[in-house]
PDB file of all heavy atoms in Angstrom:
ATOM      1  N   PHE B  12       7.405   3.561  -2.896  1.00 95.00           N
ATOM      2  CA  PHE B  12       8.037   3.976  -1.639  1.00 95.00           C
ATOM      3  C   PHE B  12       7.293   5.166  -1.064  1.00 95.00           C
ATOM      4  O   PHE B  12       6.849   6.049  -1.797  1.00 95.00           O
ATOM      5  CB  PHE B  12       9.497   4.382  -1.876  1.00 95.00           C
ATOM      6  CG  PHE B  12      10.408   3.208  -2.044  1.00 95.00           C
ATOM      7  CD1 PHE B  12      10.719   2.730  -3.299  1.00 95.00           C
ATOM      8  CD2 PHE B  12      10.952   2.583  -0.934  1.00 95.00           C
ATOM      9  CE1 PHE B  12      11.554   1.645  -3.463  1.00 95.00           C
ATOM     10  CE2 PHE B  12      11.801   1.494  -1.079  1.00 95.00           C
ATOM     11  CZ  PHE B  12      12.099   1.024  -2.360  1.00 95.00           C
ATOM     12  N   PHE B  13       7.180   5.208   0.253  1.00 93.00           N
ATOM     13  CA  PHE B  13       6.589   6.349   0.938  1.00 93.00           C
ATOM     14  C   PHE B  13       7.672   7.396   1.163  1.00 93.00           C
ATOM     15  O   PHE B  13       8.852   7.069   1.281  1.00 93.00           O
ATOM     16  CB  PHE B  13       5.990   5.911   2.284  1.00 93.00           C
ATOM     17  CG  PHE B  13       4.647   5.265   2.144  1.00 93.00           C
ATOM     18  CD1 PHE B  13       4.514   4.008   1.574  1.00 93.00           C
ATOM     19  CD2 PHE B  13       3.500   5.922   2.573  1.00 93.00           C
ATOM     20  CE1 PHE B  13       3.279   3.416   1.441  1.00 93.00           C
ATOM     21  CE2 PHE B  13       2.261   5.328   2.445  1.00 93.00           C
ATOM     22  CZ  PHE B  13       2.143   4.081   1.874  1.00 93.00           C
ATOM     23  N   PRO B  14       7.289   8.676   1.235  1.00 93.00           N
ATOM     24  CA  PRO B  14       8.279   9.733   1.395  1.00 93.00           C
ATOM     25  C   PRO B  14       9.079   9.654   2.689  1.00 93.00           C
ATOM     26  O   PRO B  14      10.171  10.231   2.763  1.00 93.00           O
ATOM     27  CB  PRO B  14       7.465  11.027   1.345  1.00 93.00           C
ATOM     28  CG  PRO B  14       6.072  10.665   1.097  1.00 93.00           C
ATOM     29  CD  PRO B  14       5.946   9.187   1.077  1.00 93.00           C
ATOM     30  N   ASP B  15       8.593   8.933   3.688  1.00 91.00           N
ATOM     31  CA  ASP B  15       9.346   8.812   4.938  1.00 91.00           C
ATOM     32  C   ASP B  15      10.591   7.942   4.779  1.00 91.00           C
ATOM     33  O   ASP B  15      11.449   7.908   5.656  1.00 91.00           O
ATOM     34  CB  ASP B  15       8.471   8.287   6.073  1.00 91.00           C
ATOM     35  CG  ASP B  15       7.979   6.852   5.876  1.00 91.00           C
ATOM     36  OD1 ASP B  15       8.392   6.172   4.915  1.00 91.00           O
ATOM     37  OD2 ASP B  15       7.166   6.409   6.711  1.00 91.00           O
ATOM     38  N   GLY B  16      10.690   7.223   3.656  1.00 93.00           N
ATOM     39  CA  GLY B  16      11.833   6.364   3.412  1.00 93.00           C
ATOM     40  C   GLY B  16      11.852   5.110   4.269  1.00 93.00           C
ATOM     41  O   GLY B  16      12.776   4.317   4.203  1.00 93.00           O
ATOM     42  N   ARG B  17      10.816   4.901   5.055  1.00 93.00           N
ATOM     43  CA  ARG B  17      10.744   3.756   5.965  1.00 93.00           C
ATOM     44  C   ARG B  17       9.610   2.803   5.636  1.00 93.00           C
ATOM     45  O   ARG B  17       9.442   1.786   6.315  1.00 93.00           O
ATOM     46  CB  ARG B  17      10.603   4.252   7.404  1.00 93.00           C
ATOM     47  CG  ARG B  17      11.802   5.060   7.846  1.00 93.00           C
ATOM     48  CD  ARG B  17      11.699   5.645   9.247  1.00 93.00           C
ATOM     49  NE  ARG B  17      10.618   5.136  10.044  1.00 93.00           N
ATOM     50  CZ  ARG B  17       9.913   5.870  10.885  1.00 93.00           C
ATOM     51  NH1 ARG B  17      10.170   7.151  11.028  1.00 93.00           N
ATOM     52  NH2 ARG B  17       8.956   5.339  11.615  1.00 93.00           N
ATOM     53  N   THR B  18       8.813   3.131   4.623  1.00 92.00           N
ATOM     54  CA  THR B  18       7.659   2.308   4.282  1.00 92.00           C
ATOM     55  C   THR B  18       7.655   2.034   2.785  1.00 92.00           C
ATOM     56  O   THR B  18       7.909   2.928   1.983  1.00 92.00           O
ATOM     57  CB  THR B  18       6.346   3.018   4.668  1.00 92.00           C
ATOM     58  OG1 THR B  18       6.419   3.405   6.047  1.00 92.00           O
ATOM     59  CG2 THR B  18       5.145   2.122   4.461  1.00 92.00           C
ATOM     60  N   LEU B  19       7.344   0.790   2.423  1.00 94.00           N
ATOM     61  CA  LEU B  19       7.226   0.369   1.031  1.00 94.00           C
ATOM     62  C   LEU B  19       5.894  -0.328   0.854  1.00 94.00           C
ATOM     63  O   LEU B  19       5.497  -1.145   1.689  1.00 94.00           O
ATOM     64  CB  LEU B  19       8.357  -0.602   0.672  1.00 94.00           C
ATOM     65  CG  LEU B  19       8.267  -1.301  -0.679  1.00 94.00           C
ATOM     66  CD1 LEU B  19       8.509  -0.300  -1.807  1.00 94.00           C
ATOM     67  CD2 LEU B  19       9.242  -2.451  -0.761  1.00 94.00           C
ATOM     68  N   ALA B  20       5.184  -0.009  -0.221  1.00 94.00           N
ATOM     69  CA  ALA B  20       3.979  -0.745  -0.599  1.00 94.00           C
ATOM     70  C   ALA B  20       4.344  -1.639  -1.775  1.00 94.00           C
ATOM     71  O   ALA B  20       4.992  -1.189  -2.718  1.00 94.00           O
ATOM     72  CB  ALA B  20       2.859   0.215  -0.989  1.00 94.00           C
ATOM     73  N   SER B  21       3.953  -2.899  -1.706  1.00 95.00           N
ATOM     74  CA  SER B  21       4.182  -3.830  -2.813  1.00 95.00           C
ATOM     75  C   SER B  21       2.889  -4.593  -3.060  1.00 95.00           C
ATOM     76  O   SER B  21       2.133  -4.872  -2.135  1.00 95.00           O
ATOM     77  CB  SER B  21       5.326  -4.793  -2.491  1.00 95.00           C
ATOM     78  OG  SER B  21       5.017  -5.605  -1.387  1.00 95.00           O
ATOM     79  N   SER B  22       2.657  -4.913  -4.330  1.00 94.00           N
ATOM     80  CA  SER B  22       1.430  -5.631  -4.660  1.00 94.00           C
ATOM     81  C   SER B  22       1.738  -6.797  -5.591  1.00 94.00           C
ATOM     82  O   SER B  22       2.532  -6.675  -6.519  1.00 94.00           O
ATOM     83  CB  SER B  22       0.411  -4.694  -5.319  1.00 94.00           C
ATOM     84  OG  SER B  22      -0.838  -5.351  -5.437  1.00 94.00           O
ATOM     85  N   ALA B  23       1.102  -7.919  -5.303  1.00 92.00           N
ATOM     86  CA  ALA B  23       1.193  -9.118  -6.126  1.00 92.00           C
ATOM     87  C   ALA B  23      -0.215  -9.686  -6.243  1.00 92.00           C
ATOM     88  O   ALA B  23      -1.174  -9.078  -5.764  1.00 92.00           O
ATOM     89  CB  ALA B  23       2.154 -10.117  -5.501  1.00 92.00           C
ATOM     90  N   ALA B  24      -0.345 -10.842  -6.857  1.00 85.00           N
ATOM     91  CA  ALA B  24      -1.661 -11.427  -7.127  1.00 85.00           C
ATOM     92  C   ALA B  24      -2.528 -11.579  -5.883  1.00 85.00           C
ATOM     93  O   ALA B  24      -3.731 -11.419  -5.943  1.00 85.00           O
ATOM     94  CB  ALA B  24      -1.500 -12.776  -7.813  1.00 85.00           C
ATOM     95  N   GLY B  25      -1.925 -11.856  -4.731  1.00 84.00           N
ATOM     96  CA  GLY B  25      -2.719 -12.130  -3.541  1.00 84.00           C
ATOM     97  C   GLY B  25      -3.092 -10.938  -2.701  1.00 84.00           C
ATOM     98  O   GLY B  25      -4.159 -10.902  -2.097  1.00 84.00           O
ATOM     99  N   GLU B  26      -2.210  -9.918  -2.631  1.00 90.00           N
ATOM    100  CA  GLU B  26      -2.478  -8.798  -1.737  1.00 90.00           C
ATOM    101  C   GLU B  26      -1.504  -7.652  -1.995  1.00 90.00           C
ATOM    102  O   GLU B  26      -0.471  -7.828  -2.625  1.00 90.00           O
ATOM    103  CB  GLU B  26      -2.366  -9.228  -0.273  1.00 90.00           C
ATOM    104  CG  GLU B  26      -0.971  -9.682   0.113  1.00 90.00           C
ATOM    105  CD  GLU B  26      -0.901 -10.286   1.501  1.00 90.00           C
ATOM    106  OE1 GLU B  26      -1.871 -10.206   2.260  1.00 90.00           O
ATOM    107  OE2 GLU B  26       0.160 -10.859   1.822  1.00 90.00           O
ATOM    108  N   THR B  27      -1.858  -6.496  -1.471  1.00 91.00           N
ATOM    109  CA  THR B  27      -0.954  -5.357  -1.398  1.00 91.00           C
ATOM    110  C   THR B  27      -0.484  -5.274   0.046  1.00 91.00           C
ATOM    111  O   THR B  27      -1.293  -5.365   0.961  1.00 91.00           O
ATOM    112  CB  THR B  27      -1.671  -4.053  -1.793  1.00 91.00           C
ATOM    113  OG1 THR B  27      -2.088  -4.168  -3.165  1.00 91.00           O
ATOM    114  CG2 THR B  27      -0.777  -2.841  -1.637  1.00 91.00           C
ATOM    115  N   VAL B  28       0.814  -5.115   0.241  1.00 91.00           N
ATOM    116  CA  VAL B  28       1.382  -5.111   1.586  1.00 91.00           C
ATOM    117  C   VAL B  28       2.126  -3.812   1.826  1.00 91.00           C
ATOM    118  O   VAL B  28       2.866  -3.342   0.961  1.00 91.00           O
ATOM    119  CB  VAL B  28       2.346  -6.306   1.779  1.00 91.00           C
ATOM    120  CG1 VAL B  28       2.997  -6.255   3.149  1.00 91.00           C
ATOM    121  CG2 VAL B  28       1.613  -7.614   1.585  1.00 91.00           C
ATOM    122  N   LEU B  29       1.939  -3.230   3.002  1.00 92.00           N
ATOM    123  CA  LEU B  29       2.759  -2.110   3.453  1.00 92.00           C
ATOM    124  C   LEU B  29       3.813  -2.686   4.376  1.00 92.00           C
ATOM    125  O   LEU B  29       3.483  -3.361   5.362  1.00 92.00           O
ATOM    126  CB  LEU B  29       1.917  -1.067   4.188  1.00 92.00           C
ATOM    127  CG  LEU B  29       1.249  -0.037   3.278  1.00 92.00           C
ATOM    128  CD1 LEU B  29       0.146  -0.666   2.476  1.00 92.00           C
ATOM    129  CD2 LEU B  29       0.736   1.107   4.091  1.00 92.00           C
ATOM    130  N   TRP B  30       5.085  -2.432   4.033  1.00 93.00           N
ATOM    131  CA  TRP B  30       6.221  -2.985   4.762  1.00 93.00           C
ATOM    132  C   TRP B  30       6.930  -1.920   5.569  1.00 93.00           C
ATOM    133  O   TRP B  30       7.123  -0.809   5.083  1.00 93.00           O
ATOM    134  CB  TRP B  30       7.233  -3.588   3.787  1.00 93.00           C
ATOM    135  CG  TRP B  30       6.708  -4.693   2.946  1.00 93.00           C
ATOM    136  CD1 TRP B  30       6.221  -4.600   1.673  1.00 93.00           C
ATOM    137  CD2 TRP B  30       6.605  -6.067   3.304  1.00 93.00           C
ATOM    138  NE1 TRP B  30       5.827  -5.829   1.229  1.00 93.00           N
ATOM    139  CE2 TRP B  30       6.052  -6.754   2.204  1.00 93.00           C
ATOM    140  CE3 TRP B  30       6.935  -6.779   4.456  1.00 93.00           C
ATOM    141  CZ2 TRP B  30       5.823  -8.125   2.224  1.00 93.00           C
ATOM    142  CZ3 TRP B  30       6.701  -8.148   4.467  1.00 93.00           C
ATOM    143  CH2 TRP B  30       6.155  -8.811   3.363  1.00 93.00           C
ATOM    144  N   ASP B  31       7.346  -2.268   6.770  1.00 92.00           N
ATOM    145  CA  ASP B  31       8.207  -1.426   7.580  1.00 92.00           C
ATOM    146  C   ASP B  31       9.636  -1.782   7.187  1.00 92.00           C
ATOM    147  O   ASP B  31      10.109  -2.887   7.463  1.00 92.00           O
ATOM    148  CB  ASP B  31       7.972  -1.703   9.066  1.00 92.00           C
ATOM    149  CG  ASP B  31       8.813  -0.824   9.961  1.00 92.00           C
ATOM    150  OD1 ASP B  31       9.997  -0.584   9.644  1.00 92.00           O
ATOM    151  OD2 ASP B  31       8.284  -0.379  10.987  1.00 92.00           O
ATOM    152  N   LEU B  32      10.343  -0.879   6.503  1.00 94.00           N
ATOM    153  CA  LEU B  32      11.670  -1.181   6.006  1.00 94.00           C
ATOM    154  C   LEU B  32      12.718  -1.223   7.109  1.00 94.00           C
ATOM    155  O   LEU B  32      13.789  -1.802   6.917  1.00 94.00           O
ATOM    156  CB  LEU B  32      12.067  -0.179   4.924  1.00 94.00           C
ATOM    157  CG  LEU B  32      11.192  -0.240   3.665  1.00 94.00           C
ATOM    158  CD1 LEU B  32      11.628   0.819   2.678  1.00 94.00           C
ATOM    159  CD2 LEU B  32      11.236  -1.623   3.034  1.00 94.00           C
ATOM    160  N   ASP B  33      12.450  -0.637   8.256  1.00 95.00           N
ATOM    161  CA  ASP B  33      13.386  -0.705   9.380  1.00 95.00           C
ATOM    162  C   ASP B  33      13.418  -2.106   9.992  1.00 95.00           C
ATOM    163  O   ASP B  33      14.471  -2.592  10.390  1.00 95.00           O
ATOM    164  CB  ASP B  33      13.025   0.309  10.467  1.00 95.00           C
ATOM    165  CG  ASP B  33      13.241   1.745  10.018  1.00 95.00           C
ATOM    166  OD1 ASP B  33      14.109   1.981   9.154  1.00 95.00           O
ATOM    167  OD2 ASP B  33      12.540   2.627  10.542  1.00 95.00           O
ATOM    168  N   THR B  34      12.244  -2.751  10.054  1.00 94.00           N
ATOM    169  CA  THR B  34      12.152  -4.055  10.707  1.00 94.00           C
ATOM    170  C   THR B  34      11.947  -5.212   9.729  1.00 94.00           C
ATOM    171  O   THR B  34      12.121  -6.366  10.096  1.00 94.00           O
ATOM    172  CB  THR B  34      10.973  -4.083  11.696  1.00 94.00           C
ATOM    173  OG1 THR B  34       9.741  -3.951  10.960  1.00 94.00           O
ATOM    174  CG2 THR B  34      11.095  -2.973  12.732  1.00 94.00           C
ATOM    175  N   GLY B  35      11.523  -4.893   8.497  1.00 92.00           N
ATOM    176  CA  GLY B  35      11.204  -5.934   7.530  1.00 92.00           C
ATOM    177  C   GLY B  35       9.852  -6.572   7.768  1.00 92.00           C
ATOM    178  O   GLY B  35       9.468  -7.523   7.091  1.00 92.00           O
ATOM    179  N   GLN B  36       9.101  -6.042   8.712  1.00 92.00           N
ATOM    180  CA  GLN B  36       7.801  -6.605   9.070  1.00 92.00           C
ATOM    181  C   GLN B  36       6.673  -6.006   8.233  1.00 92.00           C
ATOM    182  O   GLN B  36       6.732  -4.849   7.816  1.00 92.00           O
ATOM    183  CB  GLN B  36       7.504  -6.343  10.555  1.00 92.00           C
ATOM    184  CG  GLN B  36       8.477  -7.009  11.485  1.00 92.00           C
ATOM    185  CD  GLN B  36       8.427  -8.519  11.372  1.00 92.00           C
ATOM    186  OE1 GLN B  36       7.367  -9.129  11.422  1.00 92.00           O
ATOM    187  NE2 GLN B  36       9.591  -9.127  11.205  1.00 92.00           N
ATOM    188  N   GLN B  37       5.650  -6.806   8.028  1.00 91.00           N
ATOM    189  CA  GLN B  37       4.447  -6.362   7.330  1.00 91.00           C
ATOM    190  C   GLN B  37       3.633  -5.487   8.270  1.00 91.00           C
ATOM    191  O   GLN B  37       3.339  -5.888   9.392  1.00 91.00           O
ATOM    192  CB  GLN B  37       3.645  -7.588   6.906  1.00 91.00           C
ATOM    193  CG  GLN B  37       2.371  -7.271   6.187  1.00 91.00           C
ATOM    194  CD  GLN B  37       1.659  -8.536   5.749  1.00 91.00           C
ATOM    195  OE1 GLN B  37       2.263  -9.505   5.355  1.00 91.00           O
ATOM    196  NE2 GLN B  37       0.349  -8.515   5.844  1.00 91.00           N
ATOM    197  N   ARG B  38       3.270  -4.294   7.824  1.00 87.00           N
ATOM    198  CA  ARG B  38       2.432  -3.402   8.643  1.00 87.00           C
ATOM    199  C   ARG B  38       0.956  -3.643   8.403  1.00 87.00           C
ATOM    200  O   ARG B  38       0.151  -3.558   9.315  1.00 87.00           O
ATOM    201  CB  ARG B  38       2.733  -1.940   8.296  1.00 87.00           C
ATOM    202  CG  ARG B  38       4.040  -1.450   8.777  1.00 87.00           C
ATOM    203  CD  ARG B  38       4.165   0.012   8.469  1.00 87.00           C
ATOM    204  NE  ARG B  38       5.413   0.541   8.993  1.00 87.00           N
ATOM    205  CZ  ARG B  38       5.786   1.780   8.848  1.00 87.00           C
ATOM    206  NH1 ARG B  38       5.028   2.639   8.211  1.00 87.00           N
ATOM    207  NH2 ARG B  38       6.934   2.185   9.348  1.00 87.00           N
ATOM    208  N   LEU B  39       0.611  -3.890   7.131  1.00 86.00           N
ATOM    209  CA  LEU B  39      -0.804  -3.971   6.773  1.00 86.00           C
ATOM    210  C   LEU B  39      -0.953  -4.663   5.439  1.00 86.00           C
ATOM    211  O   LEU B  39      -0.099  -4.524   4.567  1.00 86.00           O
ATOM    212  CB  LEU B  39      -1.363  -2.541   6.670  1.00 86.00           C
ATOM    213  CG  LEU B  39      -2.837  -2.369   6.342  1.00 86.00           C
ATOM    214  CD1 LEU B  39      -3.702  -2.863   7.503  1.00 86.00           C
ATOM    215  CD2 LEU B  39      -3.145  -0.911   6.063  1.00 86.00           C
ATOM    216  N   ALA B  40      -2.048  -5.406   5.256  1.00 87.00           N
ATOM    217  CA  ALA B  40      -2.363  -6.034   3.977  1.00 87.00           C
ATOM    218  C   ALA B  40      -3.667  -5.446   3.453  1.00 87.00           C
ATOM    219  O   ALA B  40      -4.625  -5.250   4.209  1.00 87.00           O
ATOM    220  CB  ALA B  40      -2.483  -7.538   4.132  1.00 87.00           C
ATOM    221  N   LEU B  41      -3.684  -5.158   2.164  1.00 87.00           N
ATOM    222  CA  LEU B  41      -4.846  -4.606   1.472  1.00 87.00           C
ATOM    223  C   LEU B  41      -5.106  -5.453   0.224  1.00 87.00           C
ATOM    224  O   LEU B  41      -4.254  -6.264  -0.160  1.00 87.00           O
ATOM    225  CB  LEU B  41      -4.569  -3.154   1.065  1.00 87.00           C
ATOM    226  CG  LEU B  41      -4.248  -2.176   2.199  1.00 87.00           C
ATOM    227  CD1 LEU B  41      -3.674  -0.876   1.637  1.00 87.00           C
ATOM    228  CD2 LEU B  41      -5.487  -1.904   3.026  1.00 87.00           C
ATOM    229  N   PRO B  42      -6.229  -5.264  -0.461  1.00 87.00           N
ATOM    230  CA  PRO B  42      -6.485  -6.020  -1.693  1.00 87.00           C
ATOM    231  C   PRO B  42      -5.412  -5.755  -2.755  1.00 87.00           C
ATOM    232  O   PRO B  42      -4.818  -4.675  -2.795  1.00 87.00           O
ATOM    233  CB  PRO B  42      -7.847  -5.497  -2.149  1.00 87.00           C
ATOM    234  CG  PRO B  42      -8.493  -4.976  -0.914  1.00 87.00           C
ATOM    235  CD  PRO B  42      -7.373  -4.425  -0.085  1.00 87.00           C
ATOM    236  N   PRO B  43      -5.177  -6.725  -3.641  1.00 90.00           N
ATOM    237  CA  PRO B  43      -4.153  -6.567  -4.674  1.00 90.00           C
ATOM    238  C   PRO B  43      -4.549  -5.536  -5.732  1.00 90.00           C
ATOM    239  O   PRO B  43      -5.727  -5.357  -6.020  1.00 90.00           O
ATOM    240  CB  PRO B  43      -4.045  -7.961  -5.298  1.00 90.00           C
ATOM    241  CG  PRO B  43      -5.378  -8.582  -5.050  1.00 90.00           C
ATOM    242  CD  PRO B  43      -5.852  -8.022  -3.740  1.00 90.00           C
ATOM    243  N   VAL B  44      -3.540  -4.867  -6.275  1.00 91.00           N
ATOM    244  CA  VAL B  44      -3.731  -3.903  -7.371  1.00 91.00           C
ATOM    245  C   VAL B  44      -2.614  -4.101  -8.393  1.00 91.00           C
ATOM    246  O   VAL B  44      -1.659  -4.828  -8.150  1.00 91.00           O
ATOM    247  CB  VAL B  44      -3.718  -2.439  -6.854  1.00 91.00           C
ATOM    248  CG1 VAL B  44      -4.905  -2.169  -5.935  1.00 91.00           C
ATOM    249  CG2 VAL B  44      -2.417  -2.114  -6.151  1.00 91.00           C
TER     250      VAL B  44
END
Side-chain angles (χ1 to χ4, degrees):
F12 283 95
F13 280 70
D15 66 6
R17 297 177 12 217
T18 307
L19 171 70
S21 63
S22 189
E26 63 188 350
T27 297
V28 177
L29 274 70
W30 300 96
D31 182 320
L32 296 178
D33 292 332
T34 65
Q36 297 297 310
Q37 179 178 323
R38 288 184 177 179
L39 182 68
L41 301 166
V44 295

